[in-house]
Coordinates of all heavy atoms in Angstrom, one line a residue:
M1 N 0.9 -1.2 0.0 CA 0.0 0.0 0.0 C 0.9 1.2 0.0 O 1.8 1.3 0.8 CB -0.9 0.0 1.3 CG -1.8 1.1 1.3 SD -2.9 1.0 2.7 CE -1.8 1.2 4.1
E2 N 0.6 2.2 -0.8 CA 1.4 3.4 -0.9 C 1.1 4.3 0.2 O 0.0 4.4 0.7 CB 1.2 4.1 -2.3 CG -0.1 4.8 -2.4 CD -0.3 5.4 -3.7 OE1 -0.1 4.8 -4.8 OE2 -0.7 6.6 -3.7
E3 N 2.1 5.1 0.6 CA 2.0 6.1 1.7 C 1.3 7.3 1.2 O 1.6 7.9 0.1 CB 3.4 6.4 2.2 CG 3.5 7.4 3.3 CD 3.1 6.8 4.6 OE1 3.2 5.6 4.7 OE2 2.7 7.5 5.5
K4 N 0.2 7.7 1.9 CA -0.4 9.0 1.5 C -1.0 9.6 2.7 O -1.2 9.0 3.8 CB -1.6 8.7 0.5 CG -2.7 7.9 1.0 CD -3.8 7.7 0.0 CE -5.0 7.0 0.6 NZ -6.1 6.9 -0.3
E5 N -1.2 10.9 2.6 CA -1.8 11.6 3.8 C -3.3 11.5 3.8 O -3.9 11.8 2.8 CB -1.4 13.1 3.6 CG -1.8 13.9 4.8 CD -1.3 15.3 4.8 OE1 -1.6 16.0 3.7 OE2 -0.7 15.8 5.7
L6 N -3.8 10.9 4.8 CA -5.2 10.6 4.9 C -6.0 11.9 5.2 O -7.0 12.2 4.5 CB -5.5 9.6 6.0 CG -4.9 8.2 5.8 CD1 -5.1 7.4 7.0 CD2 -5.4 7.6 4.6
V7 N -5.6 12.6 6.2 CA -6.2 13.9 6.5 C -5.1 14.9 6.8 O -4.2 14.6 7.7 CB -7.1 13.8 7.7 CG1 -7.8 15.1 8.1 CG2 -8.2 12.7 7.5
S8 N -5.1 16.0 6.2 CA -4.0 17.0 6.5 C -4.1 17.6 7.9 O -5.2 17.7 8.5 CB -4.0 18.1 5.4 OG -5.1 19.0 5.7
L9 N -3.0 18.0 8.4 CA -2.9 18.6 9.7 C -3.8 19.9 9.7 O -4.5 20.2 10.7 CB -1.5 18.9 10.1 CG -0.6 17.7 10.4 CD1 0.8 18.2 10.7 CD2 -1.2 16.9 11.6
E10 N -3.8 20.6 8.5 CA -4.6 21.8 8.4 C -6.0 21.5 8.6 O -6.8 22.3 9.2 CB -4.3 22.5 7.1 CG -2.9 23.1 6.9 CD -1.8 22.1 6.6 OE1 -2.2 20.9 6.1 OE2 -0.6 22.4 6.7
K11 N -6.5 20.4 8.0 CA -7.9 20.1 8.1 C -8.3 19.7 9.5 O -9.3 20.0 10.0 CB -8.2 18.9 7.1 CG -8.5 19.3 5.7 CD -9.9 19.9 5.6 CE -10.2 20.2 4.2 NZ -11.2 21.2 4.0
M12 N -7.3 19.0 10.2 CA -7.6 18.6 11.6 C -7.8 19.9 12.4 O -8.6 19.9 13.3 CB -6.5 17.7 12.1 CG -6.5 16.3 11.6 SD -5.3 15.3 12.5 CE -4.5 14.4 11.2
V13 N -6.9 20.8 12.2 CA -7.0 22.1 13.0 C -8.3 22.8 12.6 O -9.0 23.3 13.5 CB -5.8 23.0 12.7 CG1 -6.0 24.4 13.3 CG2 -4.5 22.4 13.3
E14 N -8.6 22.8 11.3 CA -9.9 23.5 10.9 C -11.1 22.9 11.6 O -12.0 23.6 11.9 CB -10.0 23.3 9.3 CG -11.2 24.0 8.7 CD -11.3 23.7 7.2 OE1 -10.2 23.6 6.6 OE2 -12.4 23.6 6.7
F15 N -11.1 21.6 11.8 CA -12.2 20.9 12.5 C -12.1 20.9 14.0 O -12.8 20.1 14.6 CB -12.5 19.6 11.9 CG -13.0 19.6 10.5 CD1 -12.2 19.1 9.4 CD2 -14.2 20.1 10.2 CE1 -12.7 19.1 8.1 CE2 -14.7 20.2 8.9 CZ -13.9 19.7 7.8
D16 N -11.1 21.6 14.5 CA -10.8 21.7 16.0 C -10.5 20.3 16.6 O -10.9 20.1 17.8 CB -12.0 22.3 16.7 CG -12.1 23.8 16.4 OD1 -11.1 24.4 16.1 OD2 -13.3 24.3 16.5
L17 N -9.9 19.4 15.8 CA -9.6 18.1 16.4 C -8.5 18.2 17.5 O -8.3 17.3 18.2 CB -9.1 17.1 15.3 CG -10.2 16.8 14.3 CD1 -9.7 15.7 13.3 CD2 -11.5 16.3 14.9
H18 N -7.8 19.3 17.5 CA -6.7 19.5 18.5 C -7.3 19.9 19.9 O -6.6 19.8 20.8 CB -5.7 20.6 18.0 CG -6.4 21.9 17.8 ND1 -7.3 22.2 16.8 CD2 -6.2 23.1 18.5 CE1 -7.7 23.4 16.9 NE2 -7.0 24.0 17.9
L19 N -8.5 20.2 19.9 CA -9.1 20.6 21.2 C -9.8 19.3 21.8 O -10.7 18.8 21.3 CB -10.2 21.7 21.1 CG -9.6 23.0 20.6 CD1 -10.7 24.0 20.4 CD2 -8.6 23.5 21.5
G20 N -9.2 18.9 22.9 CA -9.7 17.6 23.5 C -10.8 17.9 24.5 O -11.4 18.9 24.5
A21 N -11.0 16.9 25.3 CA -12.0 17.0 26.3 C -11.8 18.0 27.4 O -10.7 18.5 27.6 CB -12.1 15.6 27.0
N22 N -12.9 18.4 28.0 CA -12.8 19.3 29.1 C -11.8 18.8 30.1 O -11.8 17.6 30.3 CB -14.2 19.5 29.7 CG -14.3 20.5 30.8 OD1 -13.6 20.4 31.8 ND2 -15.1 21.5 30.6
T23 N -11.1 19.6 30.8 CA -10.1 19.2 31.7 C -10.7 18.3 32.9 O -10.0 17.5 33.5 CB -9.3 20.3 32.3 OG1 -10.2 21.3 32.8 CG2 -8.4 21.0 31.2
R24 N -11.9 18.5 33.2 CA -12.6 17.7 34.2 C -12.9 16.3 33.8 O -13.0 15.4 34.6 CB -13.9 18.3 34.7 CG -13.7 19.7 35.3 CD -15.1 20.2 35.7 NE -16.0 20.5 34.6 CZ -17.1 19.8 34.4 NH1 -17.6 18.9 35.2 NH2 -17.9 20.1 33.3
L25 N -12.9 16.1 32.5 CA -13.4 14.8 31.9 C -12.4 13.9 31.2 O -12.7 13.0 30.5 CB -14.6 15.1 30.9 CG -15.7 15.9 31.4 CD1 -16.7 16.3 30.3 CD2 -16.5 15.2 32.5
W26 N -11.2 14.2 31.4 CA -10.1 13.6 30.6 C -9.6 12.3 31.3 O -9.7 12.2 32.5 CB -9.0 14.5 30.3 CG -8.0 14.8 31.4 CD1 -8.3 15.3 32.6 CD2 -6.7 14.4 31.4 NE1 -7.2 15.4 33.4 CE2 -6.2 14.8 32.7 CE3 -5.8 13.8 30.5 CZ2 -4.8 14.6 33.0 CZ3 -4.5 13.6 30.9 CH2 -4.0 14.0 32.1
N27 N -9.0 11.4 30.5 CA -8.4 10.2 31.1 C -6.9 10.5 31.2 O -6.2 10.8 30.2 CB -8.6 9.1 30.1 CG -8.1 7.7 30.6 OD1 -7.1 7.7 31.4 ND2 -8.8 6.7 30.3
P28 N -6.2 10.3 32.3 CA -4.8 10.6 32.5 C -3.9 9.8 31.5 O -2.8 10.2 31.2 CB -4.5 10.1 33.9 CG -5.8 10.2 34.6 CD -6.9 9.9 33.6
K29 N -4.4 8.7 31.0 CA -3.6 7.9 30.0 C -3.4 8.7 28.7 O -2.6 8.3 27.9 CB -4.3 6.6 29.7 CG -4.4 5.6 30.8 CD -5.1 4.3 30.5 CE -5.1 3.4 31.7 NZ -5.9 2.2 31.4
M30 N -4.2 9.8 28.5 CA -4.0 10.6 27.3 C -2.8 11.5 27.4 O -2.4 12.2 26.4 CB -5.3 11.4 27.1 CG -6.4 10.6 26.5 SD -6.0 9.9 24.9 CE -5.9 11.4 23.9
S31 N -2.2 11.7 28.6 CA -1.2 12.6 28.8 C -0.1 12.6 27.8 O 0.4 13.7 27.3 CB -0.6 12.4 30.2 OG 0.2 13.5 30.5
P32 N 0.4 11.4 27.3 CA 1.5 11.4 26.3 C 1.1 12.1 24.9 O 1.9 12.4 24.1 CB 1.8 10.0 26.1 CG 1.3 9.3 27.2 CD 0.1 10.1 27.7
Y33 N -0.2 12.2 24.7 CA -0.7 12.7 23.4 C -1.1 14.2 23.5 O -1.7 14.7 22.5 CB -1.9 11.8 23.0 CG -1.5 10.4 22.9 CD1 -1.9 9.5 23.9 CD2 -0.7 9.9 21.9 CE1 -1.5 8.2 23.9 CE2 -0.3 8.6 21.9 CZ -0.7 7.7 22.9 OH -0.4 6.4 22.8
L34 N -0.9 14.8 24.6 CA -1.2 16.2 24.8 C 0.0 17.1 24.6 O 1.1 16.8 25.0 CB -1.8 16.4 26.2 CG -3.1 15.6 26.5 CD1 -3.5 15.9 28.0 CD2 -4.2 15.9 25.6
I35 N -0.3 18.2 23.9 CA 0.7 19.3 23.8 C 0.7 20.2 25.0 O 1.7 20.6 25.6 CB 0.5 20.1 22.5 CG1 0.8 19.2 21.3 CG2 1.4 21.3 22.5 CD1 0.5 19.9 20.0
K36 N -0.6 20.6 25.4 CA -0.7 21.5 26.5 C -1.9 21.0 27.3 O -3.0 20.7 26.7 CB -1.0 22.9 25.9 CG -1.1 24.0 27.0 CD -1.1 25.3 26.4 CE -1.1 26.3 27.5 NZ -0.5 27.6 27.2
E37 N -1.8 21.1 28.6 CA -2.9 20.7 29.5 C -3.5 21.9 30.0 O -2.9 22.8 30.5 CB -2.3 19.8 30.6 CG -1.8 18.5 30.1 CD -1.4 17.5 31.2 OE1 -1.9 17.7 32.3 OE2 -0.5 16.7 30.9
G38 N -4.8 21.9 29.9 CA -5.6 23.0 30.6 C -5.7 24.3 29.9 O -6.0 25.3 30.5
Y39 N -5.5 24.3 28.5 CA -5.7 25.6 27.8 C -7.2 25.9 27.7 O -7.9 25.1 27.1 CB -5.1 25.4 26.4 CG -5.3 26.6 25.5 CD1 -4.6 27.8 25.7 CD2 -6.2 26.5 24.4 CE1 -4.8 28.9 24.8 CE2 -6.4 27.6 23.6 CZ -5.7 28.7 23.8 OH -5.9 29.8 23.0
K40 N -7.6 27.0 28.2 CA -9.0 27.4 28.2 C -9.9 26.2 28.7 O -10.9 25.9 28.1 CB -9.5 27.9 26.9 CG -8.8 29.1 26.4 CD -9.4 29.7 25.1 CE -8.7 31.0 24.8 NZ -9.3 31.5 23.5
R41 N -9.5 25.5 29.8 CA -10.2 24.4 30.4 C -10.3 23.2 29.4 O -11.2 22.4 29.6 CB -11.5 24.8 31.0 CG -11.3 25.6 32.2 CD -12.6 26.0 32.8 NE -12.9 27.3 32.4 CZ -14.1 27.9 32.5 NH1 -15.1 27.3 33.0 NH2 -14.3 29.1 32.0
R42 N -9.5 23.2 28.4 CA -9.5 22.0 27.5 C -8.1 21.6 27.2 O -7.2 22.4 27.3 CB -10.2 22.4 26.1 CG -11.6 22.8 26.3 CD -12.3 22.9 25.0 NE -12.7 21.6 24.6 CZ -13.5 21.3 23.7 NH1 -14.2 22.3 23.1 NH2 -13.8 20.1 23.3
H43 N -7.9 20.4 26.9 CA -6.5 19.9 26.6 C -6.3 20.1 25.1 O -7.2 20.0 24.3 CB -6.4 18.4 27.0 CG -6.4 18.2 28.4 ND1 -5.5 18.6 29.3 CD2 -7.3 17.5 29.2 CE1 -5.8 18.3 30.5 NE2 -6.9 17.6 30.5
V44 N -5.0 20.3 24.7 CA -4.7 20.5 23.3 C -4.0 19.2 22.9 O -2.9 18.8 23.5 CB -3.8 21.7 23.1 CG1 -3.4 21.8 21.6 CG2 -4.5 23.0 23.6
I45 N -4.5 18.5 21.9 CA -4.0 17.2 21.4 C -3.0 17.4 20.4 O -3.0 18.2 19.5 CB -5.2 16.4 20.9 CG1 -6.2 16.1 22.0 CG2 -4.7 15.1 20.2 CD1 -7.5 15.5 21.5
N46 N -1.9 16.5 20.5 CA -0.8 16.5 19.5 C -1.3 15.9 18.2 O -1.5 14.7 18.1 CB 0.3 15.8 20.0 CG 1.5 15.8 19.1 OD1 1.4 15.9 17.9 ND2 2.7 15.7 19.7
L47 N -1.6 16.7 17.2 CA -2.1 16.2 15.9 C -1.1 15.5 15.1 O -1.5 14.6 14.2 CB -2.7 17.4 15.1 CG -4.0 18.0 15.7 CD1 -4.5 19.2 14.8 CD2 -5.0 17.0 16.0
E48 N 0.2 15.7 15.3 CA 1.2 14.9 14.6 C 1.1 13.4 15.0 O 1.1 12.5 14.2 CB 2.5 15.5 14.7 CG 2.7 16.8 14.0 CD 4.1 17.5 14.3 OE1 4.7 17.1 15.3 OE2 4.4 18.3 13.5
K49 N 1.0 13.2 16.3 CA 0.8 11.9 16.8 C -0.5 11.3 16.4 O -0.6 10.1 16.0 CB 0.9 11.8 18.3 CG 2.3 12.0 18.9 CD 2.3 11.8 20.4 CE 3.7 12.0 20.9 NZ 3.8 11.8 22.3
T50 N -1.6 12.1 16.3 CA -2.9 11.6 15.9 C -2.8 11.2 14.4 O -3.3 10.1 14.1 CB -3.9 12.8 16.0 OG1 -4.0 13.2 17.4 CG2 -5.3 12.3 15.5
S51 N -2.1 11.9 13.6 CA -2.0 11.6 12.2 C -1.2 10.3 12.0 O -1.6 9.4 11.2 CB -1.2 12.7 11.5 OG -1.0 12.4 10.1
E52 N -0.2 10.0 12.8 CA 0.6 8.8 12.7 C -0.3 7.6 13.1 O -0.3 6.6 12.5 CB 1.8 8.8 13.6 CG 2.9 9.7 13.1 CD 3.4 9.2 11.7 OE1 3.6 8.0 11.5 OE2 3.5 10.0 10.8
H53 N -1.1 7.8 14.2 CA -2.0 6.7 14.6 C -3.1 6.5 13.6 O -3.5 5.3 13.4 CB -2.6 7.0 16.0 CG -1.6 6.9 17.1 ND1 -1.1 5.6 17.5 CD2 -1.0 7.8 17.9 CE1 -0.3 5.8 18.5 NE2 -0.2 7.1 18.8
L54 N -3.6 7.5 13.0 CA -4.6 7.3 11.9 C -4.0 6.5 10.7 O -4.7 5.6 10.2 CB -5.1 8.7 11.4 CG -6.1 9.4 12.2 CD1 -6.4 10.8 11.6 CD2 -7.4 8.6 12.2
K55 N -2.8 6.7 10.4 CA -2.2 5.9 9.3 C -2.1 4.5 9.7 O -2.3 3.6 8.9 CB -0.7 6.5 9.0 CG -0.7 7.8 8.3 CD 0.7 8.3 8.2 CE 0.7 9.7 7.7 NZ 2.1 10.3 7.7
N56 N -1.7 4.2 11.0 CA -1.6 2.8 11.5 C -3.0 2.1 11.4 O -3.1 1.0 11.0 CB -1.0 2.8 12.9 CG 0.4 3.2 12.9 OD1 1.1 3.2 11.9 ND2 0.8 3.6 14.1
V57 N -4.0 2.9 11.9 CA -5.4 2.3 11.9 C -5.9 2.0 10.5 O -6.4 1.0 10.2 CB -6.3 3.2 12.7 CG1 -7.8 2.8 12.5 CG2 -6.0 3.3 14.1
Y58 N -5.6 3.0 9.6 CA -6.0 2.8 8.2 C -5.4 1.6 7.6 O -6.0 0.8 7.0 CB -5.6 4.1 7.4 CG -5.9 3.9 5.9 CD1 -7.2 4.2 5.4 CD2 -4.9 3.6 5.0 CE1 -7.4 4.0 4.1 CE2 -5.1 3.4 3.7 CZ -6.4 3.7 3.2 OH -6.7 3.5 1.9
S59 N -4.1 1.4 7.8 CA -3.3 0.3 7.3 C -3.9 -1.0 7.8 O -4.1 -2.0 7.1 CB -1.9 0.5 7.6 OG -1.1 -0.6 7.1
Y60 N -4.1 -1.0 9.1 CA -4.7 -2.2 9.8 C -6.0 -2.6 9.2 O -6.3 -3.8 8.9 CB -4.8 -2.0 11.3 CG -5.3 -3.1 12.1 CD1 -4.6 -4.3 12.3 CD2 -6.6 -3.0 12.6 CE1 -5.1 -5.4 13.0 CE2 -7.2 -4.1 13.3 CZ -6.4 -5.2 13.5 OH -7.0 -6.3 14.2
L61 N -6.9 -1.6 9.1 CA -8.3 -1.9 8.6 C -8.2 -2.3 7.1 O -9.0 -3.2 6.7 CB -9.2 -0.7 8.8 CG -9.5 -0.3 10.2 CD1 -10.3 1.0 10.3 CD2 -10.3 -1.5 10.9
F62 N -7.3 -1.7 6.4 CA -7.2 -2.0 5.0 C -6.8 -3.5 4.8 O -7.3 -4.2 4.0 CB -6.1 -1.1 4.3 CG -5.9 -1.3 2.9 CD1 -6.7 -0.7 1.9 CD2 -4.9 -2.2 2.4 CE1 -6.6 -0.9 0.6 CE2 -4.7 -2.4 1.0 CZ -5.6 -1.7 0.1
D63 N -5.8 -3.9 5.6 CA -5.3 -5.3 5.6 C -6.4 -6.3 6.0 O -6.6 -7.3 5.4 CB -4.1 -5.5 6.5 CG -2.9 -4.8 5.9 OD1 -2.9 -4.5 4.7 OD2 -1.9 -4.6 6.7
L64 N -7.2 -5.9 7.1 CA -8.3 -6.8 7.5 C -9.3 -6.9 6.4 O -9.8 -8.0 6.1 CB -9.0 -6.2 8.7 CG -8.4 -6.3 10.1 CD1 -9.3 -5.6 11.1 CD2 -8.2 -7.8 10.4
S65 N -9.7 -5.8 5.8 CA -10.7 -5.8 4.7 C -10.2 -6.7 3.5 O -10.9 -7.4 2.9 CB -10.9 -4.4 4.3 OG -11.8 -4.4 3.2
R66 N -8.9 -6.5 3.2 CA -8.4 -7.2 2.0 C -8.4 -8.8 2.3 O -8.6 -9.5 1.4 CB -7.0 -6.8 1.7 CG -6.4 -7.4 0.4 CD -5.1 -6.9 0.0 NE -4.5 -5.8 0.7 CZ -3.3 -5.5 0.7 NH1 -2.4 -6.2 0.0 NH2 -2.8 -4.5 1.3
S67 N -8.3 -9.1 3.5 CA -8.3 -10.6 3.9 C -9.7 -11.1 4.0 O -9.8 -12.3 4.3 CB -7.5 -10.8 5.2 OG -8.2 -10.3 6.2
G68 N -10.7 -10.3 3.8 CA -12.1 -10.8 3.7 C -12.8 -10.7 5.1 O -13.9 -11.1 5.2
L69 N -12.1 -10.2 6.1 CA -12.8 -10.1 7.4 C -13.8 -8.9 7.4 O -13.5 -7.9 6.7 CB -11.8 -9.9 8.5 CG -10.9 -11.2 8.8 CD1 -9.8 -10.8 9.8 CD2 -11.7 -12.3 9.3
E70 N -14.8 -9.0 8.2 CA -15.8 -7.9 8.3 C -15.3 -7.0 9.4 O -14.7 -7.4 10.4 CB -17.2 -8.5 8.6 CG -17.8 -9.2 7.5 CD -19.2 -9.6 7.8 OE1 -19.8 -9.1 8.7 OE2 -19.7 -10.5 7.1
I71 N -15.7 -5.7 9.3 CA -15.3 -4.7 10.2 C -16.6 -4.1 10.7 O -17.5 -3.7 9.9 CB -14.5 -3.6 9.6 CG1 -13.2 -4.2 9.1 CG2 -14.2 -2.4 10.5 CD1 -12.4 -3.3 8.2
M72 N -16.8 -4.0 12.0 CA -18.0 -3.4 12.6 C -17.7 -2.0 13.1 O -16.7 -1.7 13.8 CB -18.4 -4.2 13.9 CG -19.7 -3.6 14.5 SD -20.4 -4.6 15.8 CE -19.1 -4.7 17.0
F73 N -18.5 -1.0 12.7 CA -18.3 0.4 13.0 C -19.1 0.6 14.3 O -20.3 0.3 14.4 CB -18.8 1.3 11.9 CG -18.0 1.3 10.7 CD1 -17.9 0.2 9.8 CD2 -17.2 2.4 10.4 CE1 -17.1 0.2 8.7 CE2 -16.4 2.4 9.3 CZ -16.3 1.3 8.4
V74 N -18.5 1.3 15.3 CA -19.2 1.6 16.5 C -19.0 3.1 16.8 O -18.0 3.6 16.5 CB -18.5 0.8 17.7 CG1 -19.2 1.1 19.0 CG2 -18.6 -0.7 17.4
C75 N -20.0 3.7 17.3 CA -20.0 5.2 17.5 C -20.6 5.6 18.8 O -21.3 4.8 19.4 CB -20.8 5.8 16.3 SG -20.6 7.6 16.3
S76 N -20.4 6.8 19.2 CA -20.9 7.4 20.4 C -22.4 7.7 20.2 O -23.0 7.4 19.1 CB -20.2 8.7 20.7 OG -20.5 9.7 19.8
K77 N -23.0 8.2 21.2 CA -24.4 8.6 21.2 C -24.7 9.9 20.4 O -25.8 10.2 20.2 CB -25.0 8.7 22.6 CG -25.0 7.3 23.3 CD -25.7 7.5 24.7 CE -24.6 7.8 25.7 NZ -25.1 7.9 27.1
N78 N -23.6 10.5 20.0 CA -23.7 11.8 19.3 C -24.4 11.6 18.0 O -24.0 10.8 17.1 CB -22.3 12.4 19.1 CG -22.4 13.7 18.4 OD1 -23.0 13.9 17.3 ND2 -21.7 14.7 19.0
K79 N -25.6 12.2 17.8 CA -26.4 11.9 16.6 C -25.8 12.3 15.3 O -25.8 11.5 14.3 CB -27.8 12.7 16.8 CG -28.8 12.4 15.7 CD -29.3 10.9 15.8 CE -30.4 10.7 14.8 NZ -30.7 9.3 14.6
V80 N -25.1 13.4 15.3 CA -24.4 13.9 14.0 C -23.3 12.9 13.6 O -23.2 12.5 12.5 CB -23.9 15.3 14.2 CG1 -23.1 15.7 13.0 CG2 -25.0 16.3 14.4
I81 N -22.5 12.6 14.6 CA -21.4 11.7 14.3 C -21.9 10.3 14.0 O -21.4 9.6 13.1 CB -20.4 11.6 15.5 CG1 -19.7 13.0 15.7 CG2 -19.3 10.6 15.3 CD1 -18.9 13.2 16.9
S82 N -22.9 9.8 14.6 CA -23.5 8.5 14.3 C -24.0 8.4 12.9 O -23.7 7.4 12.2 CB -24.7 8.3 15.2 OG -24.3 8.1 16.6
E83 N -24.6 9.5 12.4 CA -25.0 9.5 11.0 C -23.8 9.5 10.0 O -23.8 8.8 9.0 CB -25.9 10.7 10.7 CG -27.2 10.7 11.3 CD -28.0 9.5 10.9 OE1 -28.0 9.1 9.7 OE2 -28.7 8.9 11.8
I84 N -22.7 10.2 10.3 CA -21.5 10.2 9.5 C -20.9 8.8 9.5 O -20.6 8.3 8.4 CB -20.5 11.2 10.0 CG1 -21.0 12.6 9.8 CG2 -19.2 11.0 9.3 CD1 -20.2 13.7 10.5
V85 N -20.8 8.1 10.6 CA -20.3 6.8 10.7 C -21.2 5.8 9.9 O -20.7 5.0 9.2 CB -20.1 6.4 12.2 CG1 -19.8 4.9 12.3 CG2 -19.0 7.2 12.9
K86 N -22.5 5.9 10.1 CA -23.4 5.1 9.4 C -23.2 5.2 7.9 O -23.2 4.2 7.1 CB -24.8 5.4 9.8 CG -25.8 4.3 9.7 CD -27.2 4.7 10.1 CE -27.3 5.1 11.5 NZ -28.7 5.4 12.0
E87 N -23.2 6.4 7.4 CA -23.0 6.7 6.0 C -21.6 6.1 5.5 O -21.6 5.6 4.4 CB -23.1 8.2 5.6 CG -23.0 8.5 4.2 CD -23.9 7.7 3.3 OE1 -25.1 7.5 3.7 OE2 -23.5 7.4 2.2
S88 N -20.6 6.3 6.3 CA -19.3 5.8 5.9 C -19.3 4.3 5.8 O -18.7 3.7 4.9 CB -18.2 6.3 6.9 OG -18.1 7.7 6.9
A89 N -19.9 3.7 6.7 CA -20.0 2.2 6.7 C -20.8 1.7 5.4 O -20.4 0.8 4.8 CB -20.7 1.7 8.0
R90 N -21.9 2.4 5.1 CA -22.6 2.1 3.9 C -21.8 2.2 2.7 O -21.8 1.4 1.7 CB -23.9 2.9 3.8 CG -25.0 2.5 4.6 CD -26.3 3.2 4.2 NE -27.2 3.2 5.4 CZ -27.6 4.2 6.1 NH1 -27.1 5.4 5.8 NH2 -28.4 4.1 7.1
R91 N -21.0 3.3 2.6 CA -20.2 3.7 1.4 C -19.2 2.6 1.2 O -18.9 2.3 0.0 CB -19.6 5.0 1.6 CG -19.0 5.6 0.4 CD -18.5 7.0 0.6 NE -17.7 7.2 1.8 CZ -17.9 8.2 2.6 NH1 -18.7 9.1 2.4 NH2 -17.2 8.3 3.7
V92 N -18.6 2.0 2.2 CA -17.6 0.9 2.0 C -18.2 -0.5 2.1 O -17.5 -1.5 2.2 CB -16.4 1.1 3.0 CG1 -15.7 2.4 2.7 CG2 -16.8 1.0 4.4
N93 N -19.5 -0.5 2.1 CA -20.3 -1.8 2.2 C -19.9 -2.6 3.4 O -19.7 -3.8 3.3 CB -20.0 -2.6 0.9 CG -21.2 -3.5 0.5 OD1 -22.2 -3.3 1.1 ND2 -20.9 -4.5 -0.3
A94 N -19.8 -2.0 4.5 CA -19.5 -2.7 5.8 C -20.7 -2.8 6.7 O -21.6 -1.9 6.6 CB -18.3 -2.0 6.5

């Protein structure tokens, strides 16, 4: 599989993916992935690490799919995100 950028860092910033959970609601295991803790009562996520992990997940799912295994999509209770995940699953016939 060829190396490509799945989502640009600029797009991640545009969609505020760098702004993590409220400082009251975070999991301490996330600490290695944070650039700054407690900025405006939110954590700032390291998008470079996020991008690397996205590449790994993409590669893993690609390999699973190629081998014929099924992939189940799971989402939060957020209605907007649930619809996006549902549509994405339909689009890839999963």
Side-chain angles (χ1 to χ4, degrees):
M1 183 176 65
E2 73 181 49
E3 181 76 19
K4 66 177 184 176
E5 186 175 51
L6 299 173
V7 180
S8 71
L9 293 176
E10 291 81 16
K11 278 285 185 200
M12 286 191 224
V13 170
E14 181 182 329
F15 290 115
D16 291 334
L17 296 184
H18 61 293
L19 297 177
N22 186 300
T23 53
R24 295 180 298 116
L25 307 172
W26 79 296
N27 185 329
K29 292 179 183 177
M30 285 297 294
S31 190
Y33 306 101
L34 301 177
I35 291 176
K36 185 170 184 157
E37 296 184 23
Y39 175 74
K40 293 187 179 180
R41 286 185 265 168
R42 297 189 82 161
H43 293 294
V44 179
I45 297 171
N46 183 331
L47 293 181
E48 289 174 343
K49 286 186 181 182
T50 300
S51 179
E52 285 303 312
H53 287 292
L54 280 174
K55 289 176 191 173
N56 294 338
V57 169
Y58 175 82
S59 180
Y60 178 74
L61 292 175
F62 185 84
D63 292 342
L64 281 180
S65 177
R66 189 176 349 165
S67 68
L69 293 174
E70 291 186 18
I71 299 167
M72 179 173 60
F73 289 73
V74 179
C75 187
S76 70
K77 294 185 268 185
N78 183 306
K79 186 69 175 163
V80 173
I81 294 172
S82 293
E83 290 302 318
I84 292 169
V85 170
K86 208 182 292 184
E87 180 54 37
S88 298
R90 280 192 203 111
R91 193 173 44 227
V92 297
N93 208 17

